[in-house]
Amino acid sequence: RLQGPLLLFVASALIAAMAAWIALHQQQQTRQAHVVALAMDREIAGKLAGARNEESELREKIAHFQTLKARGLIGAERRLDWVEIIGRIRAARRLAQVDYEFSPQRRVDTAMLPGGAAAGALTLKASQMQLRLPLLHEGDLLGFIADLRANAPAWVQVRRCAIGRAPDTAADRAAARLNADCTLEWITFENI
């Protein structure tokens, strides 16, 4: 008499054990899938953050490029504009004489820029200018160079400057007391 119910109990116990094993196995697989999903989520979040940083950097670089282009630093050098700017500065600062001479344009010396003269699709080019300027005081030279940097469609870098006393020719107080002899680099970016 007990044989039927006992067999039914054993079969039920086996079915229950099998169901419990399947449930545990599925729970373990679900946990592993959850861990993988969390790792993928972190990886995607990291990639998204990197893409946002890169986008921000690109926007900054584009804005900087547009600023350089608007200022005239990108493209062919504009020597006629440079000459006009020097004339305007000389007149505004009431300088009696400004002597200058531009050398032919060349690639920027790698000694000036540790990374070299190439900047992506642009090449840095420089024209050297020898500047001789009579001065009442050294502030005239500093102001002249500051005005050049602020207004020139080029990046103006001072390579060398020497200031010496002017020969004493007259008792005129308005006469230049100093002479400046400088070498400036007028740097522009040229498309390759």
Side-chain angles (χ1 to χ4, degrees):
R1 264 194 230 177
L2 289 176
Q3 202 175 27
L6 193 58
L7 282 175
L8 185 60
F9 172 73
V10 169
S12 296
L14 284 175
I15 292 173
M18 185 72 101
W21 182 82
I22 290 173
L24 287 174
H25 184 68
Q26 285 181 344
Q27 182 185 25
Q28 187 178 24
Q29 285 181 337
T30 304
R31 282 184 182 158
Q32 288 175 348
H34 180 67
V35 167
V36 169
L38 286 176
M40 287 177 61
D41 185 48
R42 281 191 297 269
E43 181 182 343
I44 290 170
K47 286 181 180 179
L48 180 61
R52 286 185 178 148
N53 288 340
E54 190 174 316
E55 178 188 17
S56 175
E57 286 177 19
L58 284 174
R59 287 185 191 278
E60 288 175 15
K61 288 178 181 179
I62 288 170
H64 189 63
F65 178 83
Q66 294 298 341
T67 301
L68 292 174
K69 191 170 184 176
R71 189 162 167 223
L73 279 95
I74 297 175
E77 63 179 12
R78 300 172 9 201
R79 286 191 180 204
L80 187 57
D81 291 347
W82 298 354
V83 170
E84 290 174 359
I85 288 168
I86 291 170
R88 283 196 303 266
I89 294 170
R90 185 195 62 75
R93 293 201 165 268
R94 296 186 182 137
L95 299 171
Q97 179 182 352
V98 176
D99 293 326
Y100 56 91
E101 181 182 330
F102 284 104
S103 299
Q105 187 182 42
R106 66 187 178 356
R107 282 186 136 204
V108 170
D109 295 336
T110 54
M112 267 175 59
L113 299 168
L122 302 173
T123 300
L124 290 169
K125 298 279 188 131
S127 294
Q128 199 170 74
M129 179 179 85
Q130 295 299 321
L131 172 69
R132 287 162 300 287
L133 186 65
L135 308 167
L136 290 175
H137 53 82
E138 48 283 322
D140 287 341
L141 176 62
L142 296 174
F144 184 85
I145 292 172
D147 288 349
L148 279 179
R149 285 182 168 160
N151 297 304
W155 178 45
V156 179
Q157 182 179 15
V158 178
R159 296 279 278 173
R160 175 193 72 75
C161 231
I163 299 176
R165 289 200 174 274
D168 211 8
T169 56
D172 184 9
R173 291 194 180 271
R177 304 276 186 224
L178 302 170
N179 284 323
D181 185 12
C182 298
T183 303
L184 306 176
E185 296 281 349
W186 294 62
I187 300 171
T188 55
F189 297 89
E190 187 176 278
N191 290 324
I192 294 176

